[in-house]
Amino acid sequence: GQQVMQIPQYQHVQEGEDFTTYCNSSTTLSNIQWYKQRPGGHPVFLIQLVKSGEVKKQKRLTFQFGEAKKNSSLHITATQTTDVGTYFCAGGDYGGSQGNLIFGKGTKLSVKP
Amino acid sequence: GAGVSQSPRYKVTKRGQDVALRCDPISGHVSLYWYRQALGQGPEFLTYFNYEAQQDKSGLPNDRFSAERPEGSISTLTIQRTEQRDSAMYRCASSFDSVNTEAFFGQGTRLTVV
């Protein structure tokens, strides 16, 4: 079945440093979504990418979808303590049902002030 | 409602008992999803509905797990004859429909089977 792998599992950065998390799928994805989960909270939707090679920006966050629609990345420029949390990618599978989003295990980001 | 509401927030049950977890999605949302999230892991898909129709239940671990959404709004996830391995956070999410799939998650139900 479809698998979505995320690396790294953990990332510790100094405030002001950049951060990147990578997501790779074993199959071609119909779309990819990114979520952020704060400690003790629930996943909160950040963005959805649909097109091959798509790049979207939200302030200091840059999201990319690979040309083959099998990988994606989230890059945060100049991290702040408010960026702390776990970032999940979730892939929609062409072969699966439309609502069956497969989540990666997440990258837990900690930011030292 | 303003957001996805789940109840109860916490449930402790004895092994062998049945439990019912409730999800009240955002009003007007067509699609409703159930996920299970273990500590330090990503949400694991269980099942999802469009309106009252269960579209995919491939993620339900075994036949002790079932879900329904009889009127296309509130949904119930039922676990029969609970086992300790069922202990987890159960999360419900809803989206506008199955095309606009931005999922809004509820706070979850923390189930502990003792």
Side-chain angles (χ1 to χ4, degrees):
Chain A
Q2 180 195 12
Q3 289 189 332
V4 174
M5 311 296 290
Q6 247 185 290
I7 55 168
Q9 193 174 355
Y10 302 97
Q11 186 79 59
H12 310 281
V13 300
Q14 195 76 35
E15 190 172 23
E17 291 181 341
D18 293 355
F19 159 76
T20 305
T21 173
Y22 300 90
C23 184
N24 290 286
S25 169
S26 56
T27 59
T28 302
L29 301 169
S30 58
N31 70 89
I32 194 147
Q33 298 182 12
W34 285 91
Y35 291 78
K36 177 183 178 181
Q37 186 172 9
R38 292 182 190 271
H42 57 275
V44 174
F45 177 86
L46 294 176
I47 209 155
Q48 176 174 281
L49 304 170
V50 178
K51 299 177 186 174
S52 169
E54 190 169 13
V55 178
K56 286 188 177 180
K57 292 192 175 184
Q58 288 179 351
K59 297 183 181 177
R60 294 178 296 104
L61 278 60
T62 302
F63 304 84
Q64 290 188 315
F65 201 9
E67 294 290 339
K69 299 183 76 172
K70 283 186 158 186
N71 55 72
S72 180
S73 65
L74 157 59
H75 179 82
I76 303 178
T77 304
T79 54
Q80 300 174 358
T81 54
T82 52
D83 296 326
V84 163
T86 301
Y87 292 85
F88 294 101
C89 63
D93 185 9
Y94 274 119
S97 71
Q98 205 155 4
N100 188 347
L101 271 181
I102 306 298
F103 279 76
K105 291 189 175 181
T107 296
K108 187 172 181 179
L109 173 65
S110 62
V111 180
K112 193 183 242 185
Chain B
V4 177
S5 177
Q6 289 186 248
S7 61
R9 289 289 308 276
Y10 304 92
K11 177 70 177 178
V12 180
T13 190
K14 289 186 178 178
R15 190 176 47 174
Q17 297 291 307
D18 298 352
V19 294
L21 312 181
R22 174 189 164 117
C23 173
D24 195 348
I26 292 173
S27 179
H29 275 194
V30 167
S31 301
L32 183 147
Y33 314 84
W34 283 100
Y35 288 88
R36 180 169 65 177
Q37 187 173 21
L39 204 59
Q41 302 291 315
E44 173 196 6
F45 173 81
L46 296 177
T47 185
Y48 98 99
F49 295 82
N50 279 342
Y51 299 104
E52 73 283 357
Q54 192 169 22
Q55 300 293 323
D56 185 342
K57 55 180 182 179
S58 63
L60 296 176
N62 51 61
D63 59 9
R64 295 186 296 106
F65 287 72
S66 62
E68 61 174 11
R69 194 187 184 196
E71 296 177 3
S73 178
I74 292 168
S75 177
T76 303
L77 176 70
T78 301
I79 309 173
Q80 296 180 310
R81 305 181 302 282
T82 51
E83 300 177 6
Q84 284 190 323
R85 59 179 171 154
D86 300 333
S87 297
M89 176 71 82
Y90 288 84
R91 296 199 184 275
C92 174
S94 70
S95 66
F96 184 74
D97 55 33
S98 57
V99 175
N100 299 293
T101 56
E102 172 185 346
F104 294 83
F105 280 82
Q107 294 289 348
T109 295
R110 169 73 67 190
L111 175 66
T112 303
V113 182
V114 297

